[in-house]
Amino acid sequence: MEMDYVTEFPLSHIDRRPRKRPRIAWDVPQGHPKAQSGIYYEQDVGNGTSFGPPRVLPDHPSLFVKGLTQKGSPPWRDDDKDGHYMFALGENLTSRYKIHRKIGEGTFGQVLECWDRETKEMVAIKVVRSIKKYREAAMIEVDVLQLLGKYDRNGSRCVQIRNWFDYRNHICIVFEMLGPSLYDFLRKNNYRPFPVDLVRELGRQLLECVAFMHDMRLIHTDLKPENILFVSSEYVKVPDYKFTSRSPKDGTCYKRLPKSSAIKVIDFGSTAYDHQEHNYIVSTRHYRAPEVILGLGWSYPCDIWSVGCILVELCSGEALFQTHENLEHLAMMERVLGPFPQHMLRRADRHAEKYVRRGRLDWPEGATSRESIKAVLKLHRLQNIVMQHVDHSAGDLIDLLQGLLRYDPSNRLTAPEALRHPFFTRDHFRRF
Ligand SMILES: Nc1ncnc2c1ncn2[C@@H]1O[C@H](COP(=O)(O)OP(=O)(O)OP(=O)(O)O)[C@@H](O)[C@H]1O
């Protein structure tokens, strides 16, 4: 989600990107219990339970309502300075959930793996920071998740919300437990690319998710490999003759492949409704569409651009546009995809007009450093990037990517159009 912004370097433009809070010590010595309201609200949303108003339950072991396991509450502790919930492993998060481990941390809060005593399964609980703007945004995420869950008849590829509650001033969102993100998987694999047949399966599911969301008039706005999770953590190790990192035992190279290609999209905290005003900056930098940077207003096509960037990254192993600066980012786009249409540059808003000179991008004249120019020159044309990494289906994939990465959002493929592309429909030999 993108709620906490800092200005990127250089400071000369309006661009802002999410700030990942540095990892903190998340278990602390127990403090003295403080006076507290001790009330939490709980709302089951999974498995067909109603969407009625939240139940109000007392947070005191001796007062737990009948039917709930009588387990103790941890002592009251202050949140950390950023409003994060402080906990110890093995503690309860309400009487229903037992905290096993921390699996993630984002702008919004922490994600904890917990044992659900009621359903007897592991769940992932996002414990949101106790700060008003994050609490409010979390409630929007709950609304979106409930809406997606309500209309998700046959697996929309969006993570399922199971429950939510308000505990000690932290909104807690309970999700089905998923596996590692595409980014985690790439990283553990030393950024070795995924095979093209796997990229096809991942791309298809991602586009199905986007098509479903767009159909519901929702725009995700923060699609990136970190927000796409494999459903299962299982993988196999297979010999990999292309790369040099060798197993110490027998000298063979190995890489991981997921046992199943099934994925789901997470993080609906930045999701926008179509009827909202869309001129603010969205998306994580590398996946941000040109119309967002140029201040031309954005809508559904910004998700499609992100999908294009993600697919290239899955094929090559590294992010396509590795930059933190707007003009450099636009120059990289031109290097990979060719010149911008003049009509888009002419319409750039007052923040972005400094990137344009006499109807063309002010590059390399406007570059901030020689390193910046070098970073742009290092990039190859899209066709070459794909050909370098993909052994078959390259022609179809390049054509699809050119449709997903069209500069003019009104010409970009829609999700249903992309799903009808030969890259997905041609009878390829499939391994996944
Ligand atoms: N259902 C889940 N199953 C397993 N892990 C999860 C699940 N949901 C989230 N995670 C992990 O927690 C991390 C943070 O989750 P999420 O992106 O929803 O939080 P966020 O605060 O909105 O993050 P960001 O700052 O990236 O926007 C994810 O990157 C992922 O590793």
Side-chain angles (χ1 to χ4, degrees), residues 1-2 20 103-109 111 124 126 159 175-179 184 222 224 226-227 229 266-267:
M1 294 174 194
E2 205 168 36
K20 282 270 179 195
I103 43 179
E105 182 173 305
T107 319
F108 263 48
V111 179
K126 189 190 265 197
V159 67
F175 296 101
E176 61 179 319
M177 184 69 193
L178 299 171
D184 293 333
D222 198 16
K224 56 181 174 179
E226 291 89 328
N227 284 342
L229 270 50
I266 63 161
D267 198 352

Side-chain angles (χ1 to χ4, degrees), residues 333-390:
M333 290 178 184
E334 287 209 331
R335 178 90 184 153
V336 174
L337 302 162
F340 274 98
Q342 288 227 334
H343 73 90
M344 281 183 77
L345 295 181
R346 270 200 304 269
R347 279 178 47 228
D349 75 358
R350 64 190 169 83
H351 300 289
E353 65 192 13
K354 56 183 170 289
Y355 312 132
V356 183
R357 206 173 237 211
R358 294 195 201 97
R360 55 174 276 273
L361 213 57
D362 187 25
W363 188 268
E365 295 77 11
T368 49
S369 66
R370 284 173 63 173
E371 283 65 42
S372 178
I373 297 175
K374 272 194 213 158
V376 171
L377 286 175
K378 223 173 63 187
L379 284 172
H380 299 282
R381 299 281 300 173
L382 180 68
Q383 293 87 323
N384 297 347
I385 297 174
V386 174
M387 303 279 268
Q388 256 173 34
H389 295 283
V390 169

